[in-house]
Amino acid sequence: METTTEKNIATFTHLSALTQYFIPFGNYIFPILIWSSKKDKSEFVDHNGKQVLNFQLSLLLYSLILIIIAVPIFLITLLKNIPFSAIINDNDVIINNFDFENSIGLITVGIIAVLIFFALKVAEFFLIIYASIKTSNGEKYKYPITIPFLK
């Protein structure tokens, strides 16, 4: 049976991932600090700390993959529609001359990658809240779609 202190520390470890909205890389820094300081004292805190970090690292990997897909697609599509002479001669680029018809498949893949990225960010927010609630009740929570980097 977990003590109230262990539940609170584990809950705060989950909630500390939300610091990413205020502090860059806070979703990694604060869970690591809390987890590493208390992992030897409580198996419950150790489990939840690993879950938070695995989830955040998994989302980082998924986000990088989606960026690697979306950014080149949009750059290729955009650069394919800008004449090279306009870039060299510093002419104005007129949007009316863009022909996206030949690249509609690529653009669709890029848009889908961006939408999946935003869906992951929304899901991340709600999953962190849900995990915090489960942990505060003394349950061991395992995030979905998580790669177990730390075992």
Side-chain angles (χ1 to χ4, degrees):
M1 183 73 187
E2 291 78 27
T3 65
T4 304
T5 305
E6 289 175 334
K7 290 179 192 176
N8 290 341
I9 292 170
T11 301
F12 190 64
T13 305
H14 285 284
L15 289 174
S16 68
L18 294 176
T19 58
Q20 68 182 320
Y21 300 113
F22 309 107
I23 300 169
F25 303 107
N27 55 331
Y28 305 106
I29 296 168
F30 294 108
I32 287 172
L33 290 175
I34 296 168
W35 171 66
S36 63
S37 67
K38 301 291 183 179
K39 68 180 179 179
D40 297 330
K41 297 174 181 140
S42 169
E43 190 268 323
F44 186 69
V45 173
D46 184 43
H47 170 78
N48 284 290
K50 287 177 183 177
Q51 292 303 313
V52 172
L53 292 171
N54 284 334
F55 183 60
Q56 292 301 314
L57 291 172
S58 297
L59 287 178
L60 174 65
L61 180 65
Y62 302 147
S63 297
L64 289 175
I65 291 170
L66 291 169
I67 288 170
I68 288 171
I69 292 171
V71 170
I73 287 174
F74 291 129
L75 285 176
I76 289 169
T77 304
L78 184 66
L79 293 176
K80 194 163 67 169
N81 287 293
I82 298 175
F84 188 66
S85 61
I87 297 171
I88 296 294
N89 299 328
D90 198 29
N91 293 342
D92 291 333
V93 178
I94 301 171
I95 303 249
N96 296 338
N97 295 337
F98 279 40
D99 178 28
F100 294 117
E101 197 172 293
N102 295 331
S103 303
I104 197 71
L106 278 177
I107 293 172
T108 303
V109 170
I111 289 172
I112 289 172
V114 169
L115 291 175
I116 291 171
F117 173 78
F118 285 118
L120 277 175
K121 293 311 276 181
V122 170
E124 173 188 19
F125 180 79
F126 289 108
L127 285 171
I128 289 171
I129 301 296
Y130 184 70
S132 300
I133 293 169
K134 289 289 194 180
T135 303
S136 68
N137 292 332
E139 301 175 36
K140 287 186 177 181
Y141 183 74
K142 187 172 182 336
Y143 287 98
I145 65 167
T146 302
I147 301 168
F149 294 106
L150 302 171
K151 295 181 183 188

